[in-house]
Amino acid sequence: MFGALLYLRLTSLRNTVLSRVRRLKQPKYLVGAIVGAGYFYLMFFRRMAAGRPPVHGPGAHGPVTVPPELLPTLLALGALILLVIVVLGWILPDQRAGLTFTEAEIAFLFPAPVRRRTLILYKLINSQVAIMFTAAIITLVTGSWGFLGGSALTHGIGWWFILATLNLHFMGASFAMTRLLDNGITPWRRRFAVLGLVALVALVTLAWLWRDLRAPAAADFESFRTAAAYLNTLLTSGPLPWLLRPAEFVVGPFFAPDTPAFLAALGPALLVFALHYIWVLRSEVSFEDASIAKSEKRAAKIAAVREGNWRAASGAIKARKPAFRLASTGRPEVAFLWKNLLSTFPIFRLGTLVTLALVILIGGLWIDVFPGYRGVQTGASAFALFMVAYTLFLGPQLARQDFRSDLLNTDILKTYPLRGWQVMLGQILTPVAILSSILWLALLILLLMVHFRQLAWLTPSLRLVIGLGLVPIVPVLCALQLLVPNAAALLFPAWAQTMRNRSERGIEMLGQRLIFIAGQLVVIVLALLPAAGGAALFIFITQHWIGLPAAVAVAAGGVVACLAAEVWCGLWLLGERFEKFDLSAELRP
Amino acid sequence: MIEVTGLIKRYGAFTAVKELSFTVRPGEVLGLVGPNGAGKTTTLRCLAGIIPATAGTIHIAGQDLTADPVAAKRSLAFFPDEPRLFDYLTVRQHLAFVARIYGVAHHEDIAQPLLEELEIADKADQLPGELSRGMKQKLAIACGLLHAPSVMFFDEPLTGLDPLGIRRMKDSILKRARAGATVVLSSHLLHLLEEVCSHVLILKKGEKIADGTLADVSARFANGEANVSLEEIFIRATGGTES
């Protein structure tokens, strides 16, 4: 029987890989794969190849950059973190053990003459693919953390030990908790018991340390080395080393600085893994009911994700009070703003915006009075700058309460008595409002908190003019930015559909997303060039005659007009495209 | 009133609907039937202005759908086989949204009786995710009827409904037709045609095989035999195959 399950797993894996390879025949996936592979090479492989020692052969392990005396401390810290994760695994869950099976696995395997133990073994083998992949990706992304010593290979295997043992532990813990539940011990009683045990151990440890060790002195924090030395004393005294020992066995291979140490660490790590394996396989509890419930939930989530419905996928949809009262008559575009605001978080309301603006205004003016708070001003300015950059670059990708979210409702939208441009305008209003609000608040912070002493020409009146000039530019700029992803959804709906599906993974999907972000940046730069160039030229020529503030004010008006014209042209073109749009034909393979 | 002349819909080299012409008058219920892939849904989607026709003219309540789509769409309602609803809007909020789109003044006065007629008034504050399939269908119907359309298109209107829901849907269609609405529906269910439709249009591979009243079409394919069932008529008309 186990052979059949192994066949199912291996065949599924092979078919997944084959289908991924086959779809590279489509240009969008091939180009995505090339870009994604290039990104990985430039970001990780090249760095590892250039800066890291080779994995095998002579000189495989380069010099250890972390001082050797710190390694035991790091090992103990790693073990402590693992122990905390394990303890949380005994506190947080409140449901019966439910192994995650697909609906097909449940339909075929649950009624089949398969022993429960075989099903558990099947799940364990199933999880190995994900664990190995995760270990490989973490190793790649962290550049194998060469400063710890070891190599990419030892760190990869080290991660596997940590993840695989944790996986086994959580499975075993869930079975044990189910057994407790069957014996009348509720989740809360179990939590109190675990927390009580943790508190007891912590008290004993603290008492022990109090008796044997001195309290930390200022000298202990003079340097990183002295602080680490004190921490090392803490972690290697009293009962802590004994408590941490099993966890140290698990993280041992990861922290091994060289091959002999790695080989020596393998034995204890394998022992802990084997004990967990025996524990899990010997746990015979009923997991079928919870597994079926879990599988149904998972299937609903996958269906929601495939439709690009992330709120539904997270199970977070609930009826909300509208942001404003929608009158029965008036501009129909406003109905889309009203509707799409309902799909977002309730903090995106006019009242919140006004309140935050007032808080920033009062706080900014208050802080300005006290020179001692310059640090706060600097911090707030840096945060605001980050928000501006983040919102401008990634905002249109994150605020998706527009046509992208309504793509599957296109048929209904097209029956409405509206022109295409009206639908597109209505659809982008909500993300425009959200992104504009964030940018306005960030600009207000910058206006109030940035130090302008080094920039003498930036007089308060000029700052005010620039601030006021940016107020109308922000929403038009946001609208312009949002036209790009909405245009992509209209022009390449099949691509947009795949991009929306965040469960789609793989190097080609990463590449597609990179292409999309780069494309958006290029389009925005090209769209901004005429307005920005014209404004700069105008200010340069006229500032000596009409003064800088007046020149900036007029230029800002020109920028708004230019961008608004571009937005209008974009909306009109998208509207035309929308009226001819046939989703069923576009998504046809 | 629906007037269709020379309707053609092509997808690249494939022609989904070929030179289709017909007229449906107020009070008539036309059933579009045909085997899978006959072009029923494509025809309905062209008539509802969801997809542009490649050629031909469509007049909805006297308005040319191509020349003035906004005016034509004010008079129509389209009910897809799978109710398409907005996940974040409650039943009541759906109606408020649709009212604003169609400019239905004082929509609450119309919405409440409509919800009561469709027996979903008690679900007014629930989201689509909390409604059963039948309830969702009712909400989609309420949204479609809010602006009192004179032309209605139903694509497989009985899909997923329980026996009581089927009965109510049939009654609802007949009620609107008796009130003067022009109705076109597509269905595989021949009993629906017998009970609801005054006229029938049989399509096969995008071409019109026959149209007229049920009696006319039956007589044409009965070959003089008495008591020939509608199922037999359908099989004879379509040649018994999809291709």
Side-chain angles (χ1 to χ4, degrees), chain A residues 194-214:
Chain A
V194 173
L195 283 172
L197 191 66
V198 169
L200 185 69
V201 169
L203 274 175
V204 170
T205 309
L206 281 174
W208 199 303
L209 293 175
W210 190 261
R211 199 194 64 181
D212 287 0
L213 287 179
R214 60 179 173 78

Side-chain angles (χ1 to χ4, degrees), chain A residues 309 320 328 411 414 582, chain B residues 11 45 50 73 87 93 107:
Chain A
N309 189 346
R320 293 191 195 288
S328 294
D411 278 7
K414 291 196 75 180
D582 181 0
Chain B
Y11 293 104
R45 282 155 58 86
I50 295 169
K73 286 175 182 179
D87 296 322
Q93 288 167 344
H107 80 275

